[in-house]
DNA sequence: TTTGAGCGTCATCAGGTGGTAACAACGGAG
DNA sequence: CTCCGTTGTTACCACCTGATGACGCTCAAA
């Protein structure tokens, strides 16, 4: 992602990471081009109004270098002539601000789908790997079989990692408001989950108990 | 080009031909789908508001059939949710009317620039071979006869291999929004498909059950 | 009109899943 | 040190889910 506006950068990065993408960013054209050359990312998000090298120039040089990843231009310049110019320079899509985050994500997914890349959805915590796309968990390549509830709980934890969660929050999120279950069910689910994913279930390192409150997942 | 509004059809066709493209057109969804199947064009321009089959349905069926040409959706429906839905159905771009002819041409050019490559039509998973061009499946040279629904399901699985798919996703993709069928029908179809393509149907290795969710195809 | 293939639904069954209860362990307060 | 509230653990069993055989509807070909 090559973008100099910090607000947009952070907002987008958040969304992309939540969707499972790994994001690297640069704040100006030269850095951005360098990053694209060395990192060879699966896709480039490119702001056009940049200090240093202009976005158009970055895109042109990316293509001159023979880099073939999709490039999505991101800009406030919405006039047709601008769009045409951007696309003719080798961009694959051209999205004008203000844009809907959902649309941008869908366009990114569409481009990656074309390029035969798996759209990533894998979270890694230490040696533990949670593949949200495949709904699978593994440690060092060995699959860990989880029941649906255990998986749902773990998935929720990965999305809220680092935060202390009350049993009520966990119930709402994993069991849903329909379910009439006890707090104790959370305890039990946590216990069985620990027994499967913790290296040492007696001394849990991934799922910490927060007394009087609930649990915290260390990610 | 699948478009029922004659004014737009003629206007666009003119422009496209002047730019050197060969254009064939259909005025409703069924004809359009048939044309795409037989002609195998390099790109499909698809209006969403169509008599007969809706544009969404046409796009879905194009993908179900394993046709991989770029699809550009063309519509007056500009809401973000619509755009996201279209792209998720397998469209490559989504342009809202009124659009600038120059921008549309640039977007078409960008897609064709990318898509010159030939796409492999045969997918191999273990000893199983799925020939999407011929719509045929075989194991070690021996053809496996599949009914249309079974083949559609398998084809969908090969395109989403490795991902956990909900029954709803499978229904949407394979049965289509028109069909009013139960989740259980997915189960049934999976069972019969397993009985034909699995080495050991009782211990499926290709199609895994993902409890509470649906199925996952191991590719 | 008959026949058969394809496919959706139903009923049944086996096995897995998860909630609860009961008890153990733990830890903080006094 | 004791008490008590909270958390961890185990056992049990009701319930749900998915697999599958059976059935019937629809449609197209003979």
């Amino acid at each position: 992602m090559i973008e100099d506006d910090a607000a947009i950068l952070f907002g987008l990065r958040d969304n992309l990471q939540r969707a499972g993408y790994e994001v690297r960013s640069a704040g100006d054209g030269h850095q951005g081009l360098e990053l694209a050359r060395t990192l060879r990312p699966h896709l480039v998000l490119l702001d056009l109004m940049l200090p240093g090298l202009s976005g158009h120039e970055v895109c042109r040089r990316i293509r001159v270098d023979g880099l073939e990843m999709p490039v999505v231009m991101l800009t406030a310049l919405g006039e047709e002539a601008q769009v045409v110019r951007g696309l003719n320079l080798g961009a694959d899509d051209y999205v004008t601000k203000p844009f809907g985050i959902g649309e941008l994500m869908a366009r990114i997914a569409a481009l990656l789908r074309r390029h035969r890349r798996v759209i990533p959805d894998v979270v890694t915590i230490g040696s533990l790997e949670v593949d949200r796309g495949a709904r699978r968990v593994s440690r060092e390549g060995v699959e860990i079989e989880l029941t649906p509830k255990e998986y749902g709980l773990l998935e929720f934890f990965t999305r809220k990692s680092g935060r202390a969660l009350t049993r009520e929050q966990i119930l709402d999120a994993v069991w849903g408001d329909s379910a009439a279950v006890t707090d104790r069910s959370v305890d039990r689910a946590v216990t069985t989950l620990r027994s499967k994913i913790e290296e040492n279930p007696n001394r849990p390192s991934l799922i910490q108990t927060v007394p009087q409150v609930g649990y915290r997942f260390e990610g």
Side-chain angles (χ1 to χ4, degrees), chain A residues 30-214:
Chain A
H30 287 288
Q31 278 178 40
L33 185 58
E34 195 47 37
L35 200 61
R37 280 177 175 150
T38 54
L39 194 65
R40 304 268 179 135
H42 293 146
L43 185 142
V44 173
L45 273 178
L46 177 61
D47 188 14
L48 286 192
M49 304 283 275
L50 287 173
L53 233 44
S54 82
H56 286 111
E57 186 59 16
V58 172
C59 181
R60 195 186 62 77
R61 293 205 195 174
I62 281 178
R63 293 308 182 218
V64 168
D65 282 8
L67 299 174
E68 305 219 327
M69 72 282 281
V71 172
V72 179
M73 287 185 175
L74 222 57
T75 171
L77 304 172
E79 283 145 47
E80 192 183 355
Q82 296 288 335
V83 181
V84 172
R85 182 177 167 220
L87 292 171
N88 284 344
L89 270 171
D92 291 89
D93 208 337
Y94 191 105
V95 181
T96 51
K97 305 174 191 174
F99 47 80
I101 188 69
E103 173 173 346
L104 179 60
M105 300 294 277
R107 287 185 178 272
I108 289 171
L111 283 168
L112 289 175
R113 188 203 306 142
R114 266 290 173 218
H115 272 240
R116 290 261 172 254
R117 309 275 179 223
V118 180
I119 297 168
D121 206 357
V122 179
V123 182
T124 308
I125 308 101
S127 60
L128 194 76
E129 223 179 69
V130 181
D131 185 335
R132 296 201 277 236
R135 231 182 144 82
R136 259 206 277 221
V137 182
S138 62
R139 153 162 287 137
E140 325 211 332
V142 184
E143 179 159 1
I144 301 174
E145 303 224 349
L146 297 184
T147 68
K149 192 111 296 177
E150 286 159 5
Y151 180 86
L153 183 60
L154 176 57
E155 216 249 29
F156 177 63
F157 275 143
T158 61
R159 278 186 290 119
K160 301 286 179 182
S161 89
R163 298 182 45 192
L165 302 163
T166 66
R167 289 185 172 73
E168 197 180 350
Q169 287 176 307
I170 297 172
L171 276 179
D172 280 356
V174 181
W175 275 257
D177 35 359
S178 57
V181 283
T182 328
D183 281 10
R184 309 310 318 282
S185 295
V186 178
D187 294 0
R188 182 191 188 278
V190 167
T191 303
T192 59
L193 184 56
R194 276 176 176 159
S195 74
K196 291 189 180 179
I197 65 168
E198 292 280 359
E199 308 246 26
N200 181 348
N202 295 331
R203 302 218 148 243
S205 66
L206 292 172
I207 307 174
Q208 300 291 341
T209 300
V210 182
Q212 317 284 8
V213 179

